[in-house]
Amino acid sequence: MHVKYLFIFNLFVILSLTLVAQNYTISGYVKDAKSGEQIIGAYVYITDPLKGTTTNHYGFYSLTLPKGSYTLEASAVGYEKWTKQINLDKNYEINIELKEKTYLIDQVVVTAERSDANVHDAEMGVVKMPVERIKTIPVLFGEVDVIKTIQLTPGVLTAGEGSSTYYVRGGGPDQNLILLDEAPVYNANHLMGFFSTFNSDAIQYIELYKSGIPANYGGRISSVLDISMKEGNMRKYQLEGGIGLISSRLAVQGPIKKDTSSFILSARRTYADIVMRPFMNTPLGYYFYDINAKANYIISPKDRIFISGYFGRDVFDVKVADDNFSTNIDWGNATLTARWNHLFSQKLFSNTTFIYSDYKFNFGAKQELYNVHLNTSIRDFQLKSDFAYFLINGWNMKFGVEGIHHTFTPYTASFTMENSPLNLGNPTKLYAWETAGYFHTEGDINRWIRISTGVRLGYYQQIGPFTRYIFDPITLNNTDSIVYDKFKKIVDYYQLEPRFLVRFKVDSTSSIKLSATRNTQFIHMVSPVNVTLPTDLWIPSTDSVKPQVGYQVSLGYFRNFFDNALELSIEGYYKWLFNQIEYKEESLYENYILTNLDNNFTYGKGRAYGIELFLQKKYGTLTGWIGYSYGKTERTFPKINDGKTFPAKYDRTHDVSLVLTYKISNAFSLSGVWVFATGNTATVPVSRYFIEGNIVTEYSDRNAFRMPSYHRADLSLTWFPQHKKKQRKIEESWNLSIYNVYNRKNPYVIYFDINGDITSNMTITAKQLSLFPILPSITWNFKF
């Protein structure tokens, strides 16, 4: 749909909804009756006719209806239904408190919305989970992991064994926007990807958008993972944590002022380095730690402030006394978010946010006469204002503006030999401004049709100081340069991003949904390998590097069975990707030290298409889901693979995941996971021959080799001790997890071993490196 007509259509709908007489508004917040924390995604509705809305990320709801008598209800995951009769002859402010249900696991629901949300909502390609559901799933080393859980859903692929890097519907890892309390996280991995950045004790809720991304999200072209931290218990102090074999965690929360202000502080650290160091001849340490903190204060019924932050680091160090050698590597993220909620009226809610995000990687090595340092980083300062206006009968619209200042340091290197520095060029810093405005609206056209539509306008500008080198690829020398002063515009881009999604209800239990979106991305990550590593470089769009652009269309059929206890969705998608970036095939780092980094890149396009099936059981003693994805992902670069189209390194034809949780009794629950995936692609040698006594290797086409398929099973048994009432009140559980139950030797790396030499028979053997055998782990979790 043309953007001009999209605006006219939205305006017509809004005006028609507002020109209705005698409407009144019910608004307020939905809270946990025990802790006083706001509940995200609670469903607030009237029963006859069925009209409702869901609470936003701050627990706020607003529902405008014609004058009349109604039954108002509210429900959410793990809570008892709340009901109130109301005669709507004036505006009401009603704050709702929901009581927890007494069951443990048997009726945990994956989504926290209305029971028929799968069919009713104008959403597709969306996964929503409270953290309690995530905690039931067995994972590597027994550590609850948000990202490894979403990797078990259709369309989300892992980069490899145990990795937290993920790909969504054919997009690269840099095309996933990861937000922690609205702050972008640029590297979401600990322990080289085997742990994710997010401590489950500090997390309240997650949302993943794979398609139909609302206009309030921007900056990436494949997906959005929005993670909300807990606010802290408003009514009592609480301590919780867990002790495992290689890591432990602890969180404390409670009121600063009861029902007015609260805090939460959580920390986590691995300690394998401490345990192993006494037994190692060479002092070697590798550990990570992270800290989450958040506080909030209710200034008045209309104003509330939040401050939250995250700091995490991985640290690797080695000291070899005999060789006088030492190295130290550390990397990690730091974020800070300050938010102010203001309620202008019962219908107009605003949130103003300041965000700081910083990612750094530092490498240092020293041995007698030489000293090497390498640093890379990206730092953001962001200011945004978001508004939500609630219209009649559940219609709402969102609009807002934001601005981001980026500072990129793709690399800063220094090398000293015998106190004589080597010229590695001046430290490179790149600066950019990114601004955007958006409008989005959602609601029912009639009982059969619901739409979610909007548009986002982005403006990007690279600014000085900057030196553009004119590089000769033949001589590998700079022939000229252009110098830009501080704040001088170098290049700018405008991008329009329309978003449209419509739901057609077939009957009360099924619907068809269609979405079409255009997304743009002004920043890029370049990596020579398949997984996200700390050394990957983030760079901005420049006069040479164009913004990435992605188009996606999706069509899906959604159906619920057995009174909404079983959900089925079948979605097909097609994506077009433009201005994709890779290293040149002939690029060598040393040839580009004294010139611009983007002279090292080449550009192309891509496409991805596939079908996803998701079947989910939501209630009963047995819950879980089965997901299946069929997909193809291709790339075409004129200067790679002789211009021939090749499968992307994360192309995977088939992907299956089975997740089940069975409640044996109130004291025991059993969970299991089984996954299968087509093997990764790779470029491998296909022949070797001799020229003048030297071995020459010929390689296959790009990614023409397919590694063996990947599959494994995990099991988890959780014991909930049943304490007597007379004893000290403590909630605890013991979790025994077994990763890779049948000890499948999945390929992590394929390498080639050469035996013999040119004077005798030489044999070349392909060998496989497997990473994790069967791995049991045990964790004690507690809360009091």
Side-chain angles (χ1 to χ4, degrees), residues 167-176 220-222 519-527 539 541 544-551 575-584 598 600-608 633-640 646 648-650:
Y167 309 98
V168 176
R169 291 187 173 181
D174 65 318
Q175 296 170 1
N176 303 318
R220 301 294 189 276
I221 64 175
S222 279
N519 300 80
T520 59
Q521 180 171 332
F522 295 111
I523 65 175
H524 317 254
M525 186 182 70
V526 285
S527 172
I539 61 167
S541 294
S544 296
V545 183
K546 309 301 181 186
Q548 299 185 62
V549 179
Y551 296 85
K575 295 173 74 170
W576 298 264
L577 305 170
F578 299 95
N579 302 328
Q580 302 302 283
I581 185 171
E582 292 277 2
Y583 280 103
K584 293 178 180 177
D598 54 21
N600 206 16
F601 305 143
T602 187
Y603 310 97
K605 61 182 180 180
R607 68 170 183 167
T633 305
E634 298 172 340
R635 296 291 185 267
T636 305
F637 285 74
K639 295 184 179 181
I640 294 179
F646 57 89
K649 55 190 175 186
Y650 32 85

Side-chain angles (χ1 to χ4, degrees), residues 298-372:
I298 301 174
I299 301 172
S300 71
K302 293 188 175 183
D303 295 278
R304 187 175 186 179
I305 57 173
F306 301 81
I307 298 177
S308 59
Y310 167 87
F311 184 85
R313 282 290 181 271
D314 282 65
V315 179
F316 175 80
D317 62 85
V318 179
K319 293 181 180 179
V320 184
D322 294 343
D323 297 328
N324 195 24
F325 171 81
S326 65
T327 184
N328 180 269
I329 308 173
D330 68 88
W331 67 91
N333 302 275
T335 70
L336 176 67
T337 304
R339 291 179 283 188
W340 168 43
N341 288 175
H342 179 67
L343 197 60
F344 287 95
S345 69
Q346 286 187 286
K347 295 183 178 182
L348 182 59
F349 180 94
S350 74
N351 179 58
T352 301
T353 309
F354 168 80
I355 298 167
Y356 168 82
S357 178
D358 181 74
Y359 170 72
K360 291 181 180 178
F361 170 81
N362 302 299
F363 168 83
K366 185 178 181 180
Q367 184 175 23
E368 294 184 347
L369 301 178
Y370 74 82
N371 201 333
V372 179

Side-chain angles (χ1 to χ4, degrees), residues 688-717:
R688 284 186 168 91
Y689 50 89
F690 298 101
I691 296 180
E692 297 180 353
N694 296 314
I695 299 177
V696 177
T697 303
E698 246 185 51
Y699 287 88
S700 67
D701 287 345
R702 174 69 71 100
N703 296 335
F705 176 75
R706 183 74 66 174
M707 296 173 69
S709 297
Y710 177 98
H711 58 87
R712 72 164 205 279
D714 309 328
L715 287 176
S716 173
L717 178 67

Side-chain angles (χ1 to χ4, degrees), residues 171-235:
D174 65 318
Q175 296 170 1
N176 303 318
L177 178 62
I178 302 176
L179 300 174
L180 179 63
D181 267 7
E182 300 189 53
V185 176
Y186 285 97
N187 189 314
N189 297 317
H190 278 313
L191 205 63
M192 304 300 290
F194 300 123
F195 286 74
S196 79
T197 295
F198 309 108
N199 182 351
S200 62
D201 288 341
I203 303 303
Q204 182 182 14
Y205 197 72
I206 69 164
E207 294 176 295
L208 173 70
Y209 293 88
K210 299 179 290 184
S211 66
I213 300 173
N216 52 299
Y217 295 109
R220 301 294 189 276
I221 64 175
S222 279
S223 75
V224 176
L225 178 60
D226 194 350
I227 302 174
S228 300
M229 287 176 56
K230 293 178 180 177
E231 297 171 0
N233 196 309
M234 280 276 193
R235 291 171 181 171

Side-chain angles (χ1 to χ4, degrees), residues 76-126:
V77 174
Y79 292 91
E80 296 178 1
K81 184 184 294 183
W82 177 94
T83 303
K84 182 181 178 67
Q85 300 294 324
I86 185 169
N87 182 25
L88 192 60
D89 56 0
K90 62 179 181 178
N91 294 331
Y92 283 90
E93 291 185 8
I94 302 176
N95 293 324
I96 300 170
E97 294 193 355
L98 299 182
K99 297 180 180 179
E100 289 185 0
K101 286 187 177 180
T102 56
Y103 57 63
L104 292 175
I105 297 175
D106 57 328
Q107 290 184 324
V108 171
V109 184
V110 172
T111 61
E113 301 178 345
R114 54 186 288 170
S115 58
D116 65 343
N118 179 56
V119 171
H120 171 82
D121 288 355
E123 291 181 336
M124 60 188 306
V126 178

